[in-house]
Amino acid sequence: MIRACRVTGFDRAPQLEALALTAPGPQEVRVRIHASALNFADTLMCKGTYQDTPEPPFTLGLELAGEITALGAGVRDLSIGQRVAVYAGQGGLATAGNFPAERCIPIPDTLGYDTAAALQIAYGTSHMALDYKARLHPGERLVVTGAAGGVGLTAVEIGKRMGAEVIAIARGAEKLAIAKAAGADYLIDAGAADIREQIKTLGGADVVYDAVGEPLYEACFRATNPDGRILLIGFAGGDLPKMKPNHMLVKNITAIGFYWGGYLAFNPAPLKASLAQLFDWAAEGTIKPHISHRLPLERFEEGLELLRSRRATGKVVLEP
């Protein structure tokens, strides 16, 4: 028997339940879960509004890290007792689970379970978006919205590591201080009335990493330099960007939609290569996920509320 955070209907709050866990199927492994990182997508899945929400009932939790305790038939490249991180899509908010072997990434010995769990989606999103999609170059100016949030903070850190000049936009002095500690060169409060003017004064944006949507998108778009790129990462602000194709045409601006998990379905190679690079950087201490809250599994609802209310900075990790 395991304990799992289950969504049984989109009109009902998720509940912690006891479940019987079957043996892993072919090409699956059983993982005893040591850490599971929450994401804003988990809050959307509770309501059925996330793009990859399964039909209820299902267990919440997109990303996890733990120890393999059983192997399904045909699994050859992994072993019992091996430490792995898993982008599961679902099933992470539990004490154990069965997951596809192809989604398991071995964890370096020097990397903790909490770091491995927290690193995958947030750092993976920023690394692939900035490197693989936007082709961010050293010396370019990167603007990051929601810069103290789960993915925004990683964009600040990775953008700086890639040699960019980073402008961080976040709400309040505390969150801006966190972005500054991650490497931001310039700070702009999200509540300011002159965000566009502040960015333009600093030289304008070559790349915008937007995890918020409106109203920040409009200000950042108007401050984007000709030939700039705008990464559409998410809409934590609740409102979709108001696109202006005619202005994009005149300024030769490229808008890039990016969904990290989608690459597992149609092109997993760059995603896996990115994760391997990130695990190496983390093991070296080059990057270090900021975990603002560590909670036991029983307090999952508290963790979800931290994301809904935007009181979390960096990642929230549950430790079964």
Side-chain angles (χ1 to χ4, degrees), residues 37-146:
L38 291 180
N39 293 273
F40 190 74
D42 289 304
T43 69
L44 301 179
M45 291 176 77
C46 292
K47 301 182 293 183
T49 57
Y50 186 58
Q51 59 261 30
D52 276 348
T53 303
E55 287 297 318
F58 63 89
T59 299
L60 284 171
L62 279 73
E63 56 184 341
L64 62 103
E67 176 187 356
I68 294 176
T69 59
L71 304 175
V75 176
R76 299 287 182 266
D77 297 332
L78 299 169
S79 58
I80 291 176
Q82 191 168 11
R83 303 166 72 247
V84 293
V86 187
Y87 173 71
Q90 59 174 297
L93 297 193
T95 53
N98 296 326
F99 304 102
E102 64 180 7
R103 294 200 177 189
C104 295
I105 305 291
I107 302 172
D109 292 340
T110 56
L111 210 60
Y113 287 115
D114 56 348
T115 300
L119 186 149
Q120 296 173 85
I121 295 175
Y123 278 88
T125 293
S126 293
H127 184 244
M128 279 194 69
L130 293 173
D131 184 39
Y132 183 74
K133 295 293 286 186
R135 306 297 185 189
L136 178 68
H137 300 303
E140 288 193 305
R141 196 167 297 105
L142 168 67
V143 173
V144 180
T145 68

Side-chain angles (χ1 to χ4, degrees), residues 33-36 114 294-298 317-320:
I33 299 170
H34 288 262
S36 180
D114 56 348
R294 290 177 174 83
L295 303 171
L297 183 62
E298 290 78 9
V317 172
L318 300 184
E319 298 178 317

Side-chain angles (χ1 to χ4, degrees), residues 136-142 159-166 185:
L136 178 68
H137 300 303
E140 288 193 305
R141 196 167 297 105
L142 168 67
K160 189 64 179 175
R161 195 188 191 287
M162 292 176 66
E165 188 175 64
V166 181
D185 298 286

